[in-house]
Each structure stands twice: as C-alpha cells, then as structure tokens.
Amino acid sequence: MRIALIEDDDLHAEVVGRWLTREASVRLERFRSPTEFFTDLSNRTDGLPDVVFVDYHLGDTTGAEFVAETRSLGDARADIGIVLLSGLDISEFNSVLNGLDVDGFLLKDDLSRERLAMVAGLAVQSARRRQKLATFLRG
C-alpha cells in the first residue's frame, strides 16, 4: 500500500510514519504541505498513492482545504483515499468533518499503530468504491 503523509510537524510525522511503516506492505512518503504533494504528483510517473493522511492544521492552510481542492480535480486524483488527522477535540473535529468528503479520520490524541492500519485499509476500500463509481459514471 502506498501512503502519502502531509504533515508539517516533524514529531507527528515521525510517530505516524514509524507506526505505518511497521506494516510490511506499506510504502510511505512524507510531504510538508499540500503544495509539495501536488508538485510531486505532477512530476510522478509511477501513479497515485492509495491513501493520503493529511493533518488538519498545516500552517497557512488546512487539511479541509486540501480535501476540497483534491475532490474538485477533474481526474483520478479526485478519487484517492483521504484520511484527516487532527489534534482538535472531538466536538470541534466533528464540526470540521461535517460535509467533508474524507474516507477516514483520526484524532492525534487517540492514535495507535492498529488504528492507523485499520483506517488506512478502510480508506483504500472507500477510495476504490469511489473510483469504480467514477469510472462507471464517466462511461
């Protein structure tokens, strides 16, 4: 499974990255911003990641803005799996998630290796269903 992590905090990136890569089939690539991620995608020839884990607070932008931008793209990038990570409390995070087209979410205060692996797998399944539907609708 190819996972992209968009996280501007080095400590959080280290913890999430270490836990995710303990799974034998995971290849992880870290980006510090959505701009860095999109630039890399435009230069890449080996396809899209299976899922993107994105932090909610990213300096001058948010993970919610990344989700909206990604979903509005008119190509296969719009259908990648996205998991939103946040340090917000659950009630505040719930209002952020309302109406946001993500395939999973995790609170940073409640992270574990098992939860990361489970949510990554569910996000990939969700993205594949979205991709099949998009292919069907495009004819």
Side-chain angles (χ1 to χ4, degrees):
M1 178 184 325
R2 290 180 50 196
I3 298 177
L5 172 64
I6 304 174
E7 172 63 76
D8 59 347
D9 182 277
D10 290 336
L11 180 59
H12 285 130
E14 176 68 25
V15 170
V16 171
R18 185 173 296 169
W19 281 348
L20 283 170
T21 56
R22 284 191 179 162
E23 300 296 320
S25 62
V26 169
R27 286 187 5 220
L28 179 77
E29 193 163 359
R30 186 235 178 146
F31 303 92
R32 294 182 184 279
S33 71
T35 302
E36 183 182 346
F37 172 75
F38 285 126
T39 300
D40 181 76
L41 276 187
S42 66
N43 297 324
R44 188 174 284 270
T45 60
D46 62 344
L48 298 171
D50 297 302
V51 64
V52 177
F53 280 79
V54 61
D55 184 27
Y56 179 71
H57 289 291
L58 290 166
D60 59 350
T61 189
T62 67
E65 292 168 334
F66 168 79
V67 172
E69 181 180 350
T70 301
R71 295 297 187 229
S72 71
L73 298 170
D75 56 27
R77 295 174 297 171
D79 300 321
I80 59 176
I82 300 175
V83 175
L84 192 62
L85 298 167
S86 181
L88 297 172
D89 67 56
I90 188 67
S91 60
E92 194 175 357
F93 197 35
N94 189 40
S95 66
V96 167
L97 290 170
N98 190 18
L100 200 58
D101 189 6
V102 295
D103 300 289
F105 69 92
L106 286 167
L107 296 170
K108 287 183 177 180
D109 292 342
D110 202 25
L111 284 182
S112 70
R113 184 171 46 96
E114 295 79 15
R115 282 191 180 104
L116 283 164
M118 178 187 67
V119 169
L122 290 171
V124 169
Q125 290 175 23
S126 176
R128 287 186 180 143
R129 285 190 299 273
R130 182 184 301 102
Q131 291 160 0
K132 285 180 183 178
L133 179 60
T135 300
F136 174 77
L137 292 174
R138 289 180 193 131

